[in-house]
Amino acid sequence: SVMLGAALRALGCEVHTVRSVADDVDSFRAAIEPWLADVDLVVTSGGVSAGAYEVVKDTLTGAGVTFTKVAMQPGGPQGCGTWDGVPVVTLPGNPVSVLVSFEAFLRPALLSSLGHSDPDRTVVRARLLETLTSPRGKRQFRRGFYSHPDGDVTGVVGPRGGPASHLLAALSQANCLIVLDEDTTEAPSGSEVDVMLP
């Protein structure tokens, strides 16, 4: 909630945060419904996967929000729609999944709705310092550290941490996201990859 709130505030949004809610539909409704008359958008994190207590999914399925899985790692489970007429975006729960989902979907959508003509982050090519693997059929976003040494035309990037979506310490050491497309299963050291800069 702290990270997501900061990312939204950086876009100029006024943010009201509900830090945590019990895995109970009634508790979730009681925490969120009073805000619906006063907000332009509801953003949630967690409770949208396939576990036993997916409270966001349980509450909003059939109420105007559609849930799906997208072909990306991290950040597969997603949802969007409306709740009593208010737009809703439901993000996964793990912190890296939240940030990657925000960057891939929510940030560009919000900037576009505000009239920005170029809402996407800058993407550059960089030479990879370590070999990376990725599951076929999924776009993978890996935390990385990008630098542009003197004399290096393209810049270089090295991964920070593995692909798991709970590795928040690795995220704190990163200054970019390495993007491997759906058809890439291995990016060898020395090859060029797409890098999303802040």
Side-chain angles (χ1 to χ4, degrees):
S1 63
V2 173
M3 180 176 61
L4 183 56
L8 288 164
R9 287 186 187 94
L11 299 182
C13 299
E14 181 181 337
V15 179
H16 303 282
T17 303
V18 177
R19 295 251 182 249
S20 63
V21 178
D23 286 331
D24 173 77
V25 168
D26 291 337
S27 297
F28 180 69
R29 284 188 178 280
I32 305 301
E33 282 183 327
W35 290 100
L36 294 178
D38 300 318
V39 298
D40 298 311
L41 173 69
V42 173
V43 182
T44 67
S45 64
V48 297
S49 194
Y53 299 102
E54 303 299 342
V55 67
V56 175
K57 196 173 190 179
D58 293 344
T59 303
L60 299 178
T61 295
V65 177
T66 300
F67 295 90
T68 190
K69 289 194 78 169
V70 295
M72 64 186 269
Q73 183 189 50
Q78 303 283 339
C80 66
T82 60
W83 184 0
D84 289 345
V86 178
V88 176
V89 174
T90 67
L91 304 177
N94 278 329
V96 179
S97 297
V98 169
L99 185 66
V100 169
S101 299
F102 175 83
E103 291 293 335
F105 303 120
L106 188 52
R107 182 182 181 277
L110 286 173
L111 289 176
S112 293
S113 72
L114 294 171
H116 290 258
S117 58
D118 187 13
D120 296 320
R121 294 283 193 188
T122 299
V123 176
V124 299
R125 298 288 283 175
R127 187 167 44 83
L128 194 56
L129 296 176
E130 294 179 30
T131 297
L132 294 178
T133 59
S134 180
R136 182 177 300 282
K138 290 188 179 182
R139 178 165 297 216
Q140 187 180 68
F141 295 83
R142 294 287 297 268
R143 287 133 286 181
F145 191 86
Y146 172 81
S147 60
H148 205 284
D150 290 340
D152 196 314
V153 176
T154 58
V156 295
V157 66
R160 291 295 183 264
S165 60
H166 67 285
L167 299 176
L168 195 54
L171 180 63
S172 72
Q173 300 164 6
N175 67 359
C176 68
L177 290 172
I178 303 166
V179 184
L180 303 177
D181 68 27
E182 296 83 350
D183 296 324
T184 300
T185 56
E186 182 174 303
S189 178
S191 63
E192 289 190 9
V193 293
D194 286 337
V195 174
M196 183 187 297
L197 300 178

